[in-house]
Amino acid sequence: MTIGISIALILSSMLMILLVLLHKGKGGGLSDMFGGGFSSSYGGSSVVERNLDRLTIITGVVWFVCIIALGLLLKP
């Protein structure tokens, strides 16, 4: 079980790095290459940015749960 959680932690960490790099900063970002630069006239951010935010939050929660689970499993 520890190995499975460790693998999930590694995968979620790599995905989190990728998702953070895709976010648009002040001067634009990598998300502009994938359609993140199109902004809606009704909202402050595009649908792609909102979905990217949601996916980043979900990945962060999975990462956090993996950290807590490993901490509880490896506790002496």
Side-chain angles (χ1 to χ4, degrees):
M1 183 154 179
T2 304
I3 294 173
I5 295 175
S6 296
I7 291 172
L9 178 64
I10 291 168
L11 291 176
S12 65
S13 297
M14 289 190 297
L15 184 60
M16 180 70 75
I17 290 169
L18 177 70
L19 291 172
V20 167
L21 287 174
L22 285 174
H23 275 88
K24 188 185 340 182
K26 286 186 177 180
L30 291 176
S31 62
D32 289 338
M33 292 186 343
F34 303 109
F38 301 112
S39 61
S40 172
S41 62
Y42 299 110
S45 63
S46 68
V47 174
V48 174
E49 283 291 325
R50 284 182 290 201
N51 288 336
L52 188 60
D53 289 342
R54 290 179 189 140
L55 190 57
T56 305
I57 291 170
I58 291 169
T59 305
V61 169
V62 169
W63 182 82
F64 184 73
V65 168
C66 288
I67 292 288
I68 297 297
L70 273 177
L72 292 175
L73 284 175
L74 298 176
K75 188 176 183 181

